Amino acid sequence: MAVNPAERSVVLARTRALKMSRSVHAYVRGNTAQFYEWLEASPVAASIPDGPAVWICGDCHLGNLGPVADADHRVDIQIRDLDQTVIANPAYDLIRLGLSLETAARSSDLPGVTTAQMIEAMIDGYSRALTPTVDDDPREPNVVRAVRREAIGRRWRHLAKDRLEDVEPTIPHNKRFWKLAAQEKDAIVALFAEEQVRARSLALAGLANDGSLRVVDAAYWRKGCSSLGRLRFAVLICVSDGRPKNERLALVDIKEAVSPVVPIRNKPAMPQDPAERVVAGAKALSPNLGERMIAASLLDKPVVLRELAPQDLKIEVDQFSRKEAIAAASYLSFVVGQAHARQLTNSARLSWRDMLTDRDDKLDAPSWLWQSIVTMAGAHEVGYLEHCRRFALSR
């Protein structure tokens, strides 16, 4: 039985509140809007360096980085979620990543001195990415190396087992996948029949425009945290060059694109349509992902279509050791720095690096980054406890 969209929104709001109450780290991940509100209102806002206007992730936390395959299934570590991407100050990505790493470290019972060392490592890794003549990448930490190796070895059967619970061409109805209302299913079928979407989907599958495409199955996908309550569908499609033996299944994620909450630097330079903005930002920051995305409209809302590759994985950290936490801070900041740097000239890179690393105290890390992360950590600790209190009372 299909879940009524109105009833679905109530269930998803409750699910989102539950997920955010599980830990302060989970709360940070689902609290993007208030992160920017609190940052802008904080005393440290004035000390944040005014970096060059580039595409940034906007929601640059630990879970939004990981292995991402390109159209030819080559794997790189890149930003993997661009819902909040805008042209803005790149310092925001560093602060948000630093906050995520800090909460992950505290969840691993690591001492505060490790956080200080992590922030220093962040600046080192990010600065390397901005230095055109340096070809000395930070050491890939074990937690990243392990997930990269897993990603490289994955095939369709692994994706089907993880997402669909079977390799058969159906999407099971369970806690994650909900049956669609009839109008939702009809709208999805019509979407893939649109010439632009159909042609682009076939091209991504390496097929000519005279190939065939059909929707095999579809379901509402209860996934993520910040996206809960918005349109999110999993669609199983079959593409072929016309020969039965050459049919191929693909799992497509359809996700509603929403207006950003990040302070924008150069609004006229960005597409006004939220879906087109997400695709443009992805192409700039994460080419592997951007080239596999399609901007469209579904049920009168902007959406982004993306084929899920078996190699696309997130970095999951249950427990950080001190050494691993510092290595991860350096390496992941390097990855973010690469995403920013590819948009800048060599002189602009060096100018931003010098502004970024200007120090006014004895810490190796600049005080603005340390103070920003500490201030945001305190605000989120209070916010998390208040969220848990409200959630407990509502139950």
Side-chain angles (χ1 to χ4, degrees), residues 45 53 74 104 113 121 146 178 196-197 203 231 250 254 266 274 292 336 364 366:
R74 291 186 294 265
V113 67
W178 297 352
Q196 182 179 0
V197 174
L231 293 187
I254 299 181
N266 190 355
R292 292 193 280 118
V336 174
D364 287 338

Side-chain angles (χ1 to χ4, degrees), residues 331-342:
Y331 184 81
L332 296 178
S333 297
F334 175 76
V335 170
V336 174
Q338 285 183 313
H340 295 165
R342 68 169 58 97

Side-chain angles (χ1 to χ4, degrees), residues 155-174:
R155 300 295 181 266
W156 164 259
R157 66 180 184 275
H158 299 105
L159 177 64
K161 184 177 179 181
D162 289 349
R163 305 295 193 186
L164 307 180
E165 300 178 356
D166 204 341
V167 295
E168 294 300 317
T170 59
I171 299 176
H173 296 150
N174 51 31

Side-chain angles (χ1 to χ4, degrees), residues 53 55 86-88 264-273 277 280:
W55 284 100
V86 293
I87 296 176
I264 298 170
R265 175 70 64 79
N266 190 355
K267 192 170 184 178
M270 299 190 316
Q272 297 306 299
D273 179 80
R277 170 185 55 79

Side-chain angles (χ1 to χ4, degrees), residues 306-325:
R306 172 170 68 98
E307 179 186 355
L308 296 177
Q311 297 80 17
D312 295 350
L313 296 174
K314 65 171 61 177
I315 297 173
E316 299 280 8
V317 180
D318 292 326
Q319 286 289 309
F320 261 143
S321 69
R322 174 189 158 282
K323 186 176 180 181
E324 280 295 294

Side-chain angles (χ1 to χ4, degrees), residues 6 9 23 64-65 134 143 148 154 193 199 237 239 253 255 265 269 272 304 324 333-334 357 365 372 381 386:
S9 64
S23 69
N64 280 347
L65 296 163
V134 170
V143 65
R148 183 200 288 271
R154 284 170 58 88
I237 65 172
V239 295
D253 179 9
K255 190 175 186 181
R265 175 70 64 79
Q272 297 306 299
V304 175
E324 280 295 294
S333 297
F334 175 76
T357 56
S372 296
E381 184 69 43
E386 286 295 332

Side-chain angles (χ1 to χ4, degrees), residues 50-68:
D50 193 17
V54 296
W55 284 100
I56 69 169
C57 171
D59 190 17
C60 192
H61 61 71
L62 186 59
N64 280 347
L65 296 163
V68 178

